[in-house]
Amino acid sequence: MPFAWMLSTSLKTLPETMIFPPEWIPKHLVWSNFARAWGSGPFLHYMTNSLVIAVGILVFQMMTIIPAGYAFARYPFAGSGFLFGMVMITLMIPSQLIFLPVYLQLSAWGLLNTHLALILPFASSAFGIFLLRQSFKQVQEELLEAARLDSAKEWQIIVKLMVPMARPVLATFALFSFIAHWNDYFWPLVMTTDETARTLPLGIARIRQEEGVANWNVLMAGNIILVAPILIVFFFAQRQIIRAFVYTGVK
């Protein structure tokens, strides 16, 4: 219903958005609302930044959560329980609570208004480590022993055995991560002061500032532009998500 209402409003004239009771079907489809939204700022630049940041974060997260999840699940070492508990504690700390020291550190490194300022604070994910640890623990130990008997090294076991078996979980986490950072408004707002690295959610806010809050049709057209890539990603990932929760299971 919210998606349908957003699409309906994006195709209306401004007077039609004020009618009460509201009408779902516009009398005349106003496609120019999308052109007005797109032309209200450098939307292609915003979209490129959002894509670079969301994909960059995901790449860094995959590089950290896969070996960390494997270590906690299949490589016992002294203090592993304590360290995993510390990882889980970070799930209870919102990023807004620690943004000031992170901001000061990135400022000292001269990274403000860069893509790295929006990528590095999220280079790992406690939620992703937890998901992969639970998935890796379900793999039978006999498979790992057979691989070691065939002279497979630990990194080969991770890449050729564990990762393919955890593909549905990885796809599910990738979707969650992409959506979260594609829609993120707070962190880009804090870490940027110009248009260099600003993202699409900030561009949508700019529509509201330039067009005024009364122009709901243009604002909703901008939100359609924001949501469309997420829907495309979900369309291609939905089969893996179903496999992750139905067949593999998250326990």
Side-chain angles (χ1 to χ4, degrees):
M1 293 291 287
F3 285 108
W5 177 251
M6 184 167 58
L7 179 61
S8 172
T9 305
S10 69
L11 296 173
K12 291 179 179 179
T13 62
L14 180 58
E16 285 181 309
T17 63
M18 305 298 179
I19 295 176
F20 186 82
E23 297 180 357
W24 280 91
I25 301 177
K27 295 180 181 179
H28 302 285
L29 300 181
V30 186
W31 296 101
S32 60
N33 290 335
F34 291 92
R36 290 177 61 190
W38 187 267
S40 65
F43 256 58
L44 183 59
H45 178 69
Y46 291 145
M47 186 172 290
T48 302
N49 284 341
S50 291
L51 186 62
V52 169
I53 291 166
V55 173
I57 289 173
L58 186 58
V59 170
F60 274 96
Q61 287 178 338
M62 291 297 178
M63 292 171 61
T64 56
I65 68 174
I66 291 175
Y70 177 75
F72 283 126
R74 293 295 185 178
Y75 200 82
F77 57 92
S80 61
F82 173 77
L83 291 177
F84 183 70
M86 296 297 293
V87 170
M88 298 305 297
I89 286 176
T90 63
L91 289 173
M92 296 182 257
I93 304 175
S95 59
Q96 291 83 355
L97 188 64
I98 60 172
F99 85 91
L100 183 57
V102 174
Y103 176 88
L104 293 176
Q105 184 63 66
L106 292 175
S107 177
W109 290 344
L111 294 179
L112 298 184
N113 293 312
T114 66
H115 291 148
L116 283 177
L118 303 176
I119 293 175
L120 290 180
F122 305 98
S124 189
S125 169
F127 177 66
I129 293 173
F130 169 74
L131 278 182
L132 283 182
R133 175 182 178 273
Q134 299 305 103
S135 177
F136 289 161
K137 285 179 71 69
Q138 297 176 32
V139 178
Q140 296 181 355
E141 184 65 27
E142 289 77 6
L143 292 176
L144 304 184
E145 293 299 332
R148 293 188 180 102
L149 288 175
D150 287 337
S151 301
K153 301 184 182 299
E154 293 297 324
W155 68 267
Q156 292 176 317
I157 293 175
I158 295 174
V159 173
K160 297 182 179 181
L161 182 63
M162 305 298 279
V163 170
M165 296 183 69
R167 189 178 294 119
V169 175
L170 288 172
T172 302
F173 171 77
L175 179 64
F176 288 163
S177 175
F178 184 86
I179 292 175
H181 298 292
W182 179 270
N183 288 333
D184 189 15
Y185 178 82
F186 175 80
W187 208 260
L189 180 64
V190 170
M191 294 296 171
T192 61
T193 58
D194 56 36
E195 305 298 325
T196 304
R198 288 200 161 174
T199 56
L200 205 51
L202 296 183
I204 302 299
R206 180 174 177 174
I207 293 177
R208 184 177 60 187
Q209 294 170 1
E210 292 188 355
E211 300 290 345
V213 295
N215 287 334
W216 294 111
N217 50 345
V218 180
L219 186 61
M220 290 301 175
N223 279 290
I224 290 291
I225 297 173
L226 175 66
V227 170
I230 296 176
L231 295 179
I232 294 173
V233 171
F234 176 77
F235 176 79
F236 286 103
Q238 60 180 329
R239 180 176 297 178
Q240 297 295 334
I241 295 173
I242 294 172
R243 288 184 59 191
F245 286 100
V246 175
Y247 297 104
T248 305
V250 177
K251 299 181 182 178

